[in-house]
Amino acid sequence: MKIKKVPNPLKIGEYTVFVKDFSKSEEQLLKDKIAVNPEITKVFIVPSSDKEELNLNLNVETKICNNEELDQIKSKIKLPNWVKHQRNLENILEGDYLSIKPLTAEFITTLNCNFRCVQCSYSEPKKEEGVWLENKLGDKLPKFQTNLSSSSSMTEDVMRVTLDKLAEGGVRNILFTGGGEPLMNSVTLRGMERATQNGNITALYTNGRLMSRDISERILDLDPLFVRISVYGGNQEASHNYTQAFKDKLSFPKVLKNIKHFAEAKREIGSDTNLGLSYLVHPLTSGSMDDFAKSIIDLEIGDQIDYIRFTPAVDYFFGKQHDQKTMQEMFRNIEEKVTPRLEEVGVKVKPYYHRLNDLNVSKSYDVCRASGWFVEVGPSGELFLCCEKHFMPEYRIGDLTRDDLQTIWNSDLRKEVSDKVNDTNCGDCPTLCKPHELNKLFDLVEAYRSRGEIGVVDNWAKDLILYGRVNRFCPGKLDDFSS
């Protein structure tokens, strides 16, 4: 693609804006930024008197705009998390990634779950803990298992201590998640309340099966930033085949009903809690995506669903990933058939191409620099290096019931575990991990440092801070909670 030589690229979030003369190295930075961020689709160009043409070879949409239009674009620019938190930005610019302080805790309240998903992210540790077989599903709704050990289901005392220490340690966000299904722990909502009282921002991942109208209202009263409900198939047959909850005859229609409950309660109280759905794309679920779209449309709650993401299933235990060509065909169906129907009722659809594109690709980096962005808390209060290494003893970095967060973060044990990952060149880690997107970005930062051009990145960050705006939640982009 040929464009006029135009001003210095201001690389911000969804847009790339040019505002003054740029160098060859900054031109390459622009190419690299777009290469790792498929969500950048538009390049806005301010008219320039310089007639020299430059070939950036960018497969993006371009638009010539005047300065007034440029100001309007800047007002919509979103500030990514790696830039907006000054304490960590300084560490990044200095190359001191081990000193990055966690902003978000992934808080696993239980390994217990009412589903036994075919490609469960925690099947191996659940089998080790005896939870995989322990929770037998009956004909009625499964109840919280009181006989589970504290290592697989968090007690209220442990929850109180760990949440307080996370807040004291400077963690801003608490993501209540699984392991298992967090709502199967009877004290999870009390934990969300405690975190809110501590001044934390909270969020919840759930499979939606237990979200009655009463529970939905209790969650909304706590004003979480977002609730994301995972969906495993678009009809009862597909859902059963994937979740293996065969005795739970009402699992799929109940999840749909609970999505409607939550959306209606959200509408009635005027809550701005972000409601997202996450559809797992797997050979067992792909054939029912059209049914899923129809079901969501029939619920008549499109105005309350902030987004639906479609994300590829990933094997986190070194099994073979799904065939790339097959998965791409599934995503093509999403783009051509599912997305138009959902967008007609006002639902924003987010196919996670960045995860699809990297599904069968080796990591482009050999050092993990981003694991410190998140702190991973297990049900016993133990901390682990990464959510993909949860419950593996060799990746344990401390215990919040014994030490404070700063002591654990500065410990020799945490450094040893981090070094262990880097000594294998990230070879013991799955293709797609929680810090993967940040690691790709930090690898680019280090490429500029190695060329003596870290100042380019520093200026980039300053431009982002100058023109970006902090957004409460932006699905599909690097924010404080997701990758």
Side-chain angles (χ1 to χ4, degrees):
M1 177 186 73
K2 296 239 179 196
I3 63 173
K4 293 179 180 178
K5 183 176 180 182
V6 288
N8 184 32
L10 182 64
K11 296 153 287 295
I12 305 179
E14 183 178 357
Y15 303 106
T16 299
V17 185
F18 294 83
V19 289
K20 49 187 175 178
D21 287 336
F22 64 91
S23 66
K24 283 289 184 182
S25 62
E26 289 167 323
E27 170 197 334
Q28 185 60 47
L29 184 63
L30 168 59
K31 291 182 182 179
D32 293 342
K33 175 64 176 170
I34 292 179
V36 299
N37 189 344
E39 294 196 8
I40 293 181
T41 58
K42 301 175 183 177
V43 177
F44 291 86
I45 304 169
V46 179
S48 169
S49 59
D50 194 329
K51 301 300 182 182
E52 181 182 347
E53 290 191 338
L54 188 69
N55 184 10
L56 292 182
N57 295 316
L58 301 178
N59 184 25
V60 292
E61 175 187 345
T62 61
K63 175 181 169 63
I64 303 295
C65 63
N66 58 35
N67 286 325
E68 183 179 347
E69 291 171 322
L70 180 61
D71 288 338
Q72 292 175 353
I73 292 165
K74 288 177 182 177
S75 71
K76 298 178 182 178
I77 288 166
K78 302 173 181 69
L79 194 62
N81 67 345
W82 72 275
V83 169
K84 72 182 179 183
H85 300 292
Q86 187 64 33
R87 68 182 189 188
N88 283 342
L89 177 60
E90 291 173 1
N91 291 327
I92 293 165
L93 292 175
E94 292 171 5
D96 184 12
Y97 294 95
L98 194 65
S99 294
I100 288 176
K101 297 297 190 297
L103 295 161
T104 298
E106 294 201 311
F107 200 77
I108 291 184
T109 64
T110 184
L111 277 176
N112 200 24
C113 191
N114 43 358
F115 292 162
R116 290 294 176 273
C117 293
V118 168
Q119 209 162 345
C120 175
S121 299
Y122 291 103
S123 59
E124 295 305 314
K126 286 179 184 180
K127 290 171 184 175
E128 287 290 323
E129 293 285 340
V131 183
W132 189 257
L133 298 177
E134 192 165 330
N135 179 26
K136 302 289 187 181
L137 294 178
D139 293 331
K140 296 183 179 180
L141 189 67
K143 295 183 178 179
F144 170 64
Q145 302 291 300
T146 56
N147 61 331
L148 290 179
S149 67
S150 62
S151 64
S152 50
S153 203
M154 187 176 284
T155 66
E156 189 165 7
D157 286 343
V158 170
M159 193 173 292
R160 182 180 63 254
V161 169
T162 52
L163 286 170
D164 290 353
K165 286 187 176 180
L166 289 170
E168 292 164 3
V171 173
R172 299 176 68 251
N173 314 296
I174 309 291
L175 174 59
F176 289 82
T177 181
E181 165 51 44
L183 295 179
M184 288 198 75
N185 187 327
S186 59
V187 297
T188 290
L189 295 188
R190 290 204 286 276
M192 291 181 70
E193 183 177 12
R194 181 83 178 195
T196 302
Q197 291 170 350
N198 287 344
N200 289 120
I201 298 169
T202 64
L204 173 68
Y205 288 168
T206 173
N207 64 30
R209 178 63 177 89
L210 306 181
M211 288 181 64
S212 63
R213 175 65 185 236
D214 176 63
I215 288 178
S216 293
E217 290 176 352
R218 288 175 62 193
I219 292 170
L220 286 166
D221 283 344
L222 296 171
D223 192 30
L225 179 63
F226 69 89
V227 171
R228 197 182 79 192
I229 301 173
S230 299
V231 180
Y232 306 106
N235 57 38
Q236 181 73 355
E237 180 183 5
S239 178
H240 270 179
N241 287 340
Y242 187 79
T243 65
Q244 303 186 90
F246 298 110
K247 292 184 179 180
D248 188 3
K249 305 295 184 184
L250 300 176
S251 59
F252 181 74
K254 186 63 176 175
V255 168
L256 287 177
K257 187 176 181 179
N258 289 343
I259 291 171
K260 186 176 179 69
H261 281 323
F262 192 91
E264 289 178 341
K266 179 173 178 271
R267 179 190 287 146
E268 287 173 13
I269 67 174
S271 171
D272 65 351
T273 291
N274 187 289
L275 172 59
L277 307 183
S278 178
Y279 192 100
L280 188 75
V281 182
H282 181 279
L284 292 176
T285 67
S286 63
S288 59
M289 291 187 293
D290 290 350
D291 291 344
F292 168 69
K294 182 180 185 305
S295 295
I296 295 299
I297 293 167
D298 290 345
L299 293 179
E300 298 182 342
I301 53 166
D303 62 314
Q304 296 301 312
I305 298 176
D306 292 275
Y307 70 96
I308 298 177
R309 77 170 198 167
F310 289 84
T311 186
V314 179
D315 189 299
Y316 291 101
F317 299 104
F318 302 101
K320 186 178 180 181
Q321 303 295 350
H322 297 290
D323 176 69
Q324 188 74 15
K325 186 175 289 187
T326 301
M327 294 297 284
Q328 287 172 338
E329 184 60 36
M330 295 175 191
F331 271 71
R332 191 172 299 113
N333 181 58
I334 295 167
E335 200 73 62
E336 295 176 358
K337 297 180 180 179
V338 179
T339 297
R341 297 177 66 188
L342 289 170
E343 289 184 342
E344 279 184 7
V345 296
V347 177
K348 184 175 184 179
V349 177
K350 300 289 292 184
Y352 268 30
Y353 283 110
H354 63 292
R355 291 182 68 79
L356 172 67
N357 293 341
D358 285 359
L359 183 62
N360 285 288
V361 177
S362 298
K363 292 180 184 295
S364 58
Y365 50 88
D366 55 13
V367 175
C368 182
R369 301 180 176 94
S371 63
W373 207 270
F374 311 95
V375 54
E376 309 296 337
V377 186
S380 65
E382 289 184 315
L383 305 188
F384 297 84
L385 183 70
C386 178
C387 65
E388 271 69 62
K389 302 299 183 183
H390 255 313
F391 315 107
M392 298 181 185
E394 63 269 33
Y395 294 97
R396 176 189 174 277
I397 62 172
D399 187 338
L400 275 180
T401 65
R402 299 178 181 179
D403 298 309
D404 60 42
L405 183 59
Q406 182 172 347
T407 298
I408 294 171
W409 223 245
N410 296 332
S411 68
D412 291 338
L413 177 59
R414 177 172 171 259
K415 185 178 186 306
E416 288 170 11
V417 175
S418 180
D419 287 345
K420 183 186 304 182
V421 171
N422 294 333
D423 287 344
T424 66
N425 298 324
C426 299
D428 288 341
C429 299
T431 302
L432 295 170
C433 60
K434 185 77 174 185
H436 179 59
E437 294 299 322
L438 276 171
N439 271 326
K440 289 196 297 184
L441 192 148
F442 294 159
D443 199 47
L444 287 177
V445 171
E446 291 309 300
Y448 280 88
R449 189 190 313 278
S450 69
R451 296 198 291 266
E453 297 178 345
I454 193 64
V456 173
V457 181
D458 189 15
N459 289 333
W460 176 14
K462 288 175 181 175
D463 280 340
L464 284 160
I465 293 168
L466 178 62
Y467 293 109
R469 65 181 177 85
V470 176
N471 53 308
R472 187 159 189 254
F473 180 69
C474 182
K477 296 198 179 297
L478 281 172
D479 55 48
D480 287 349
F481 285 89
S482 63
S483 58

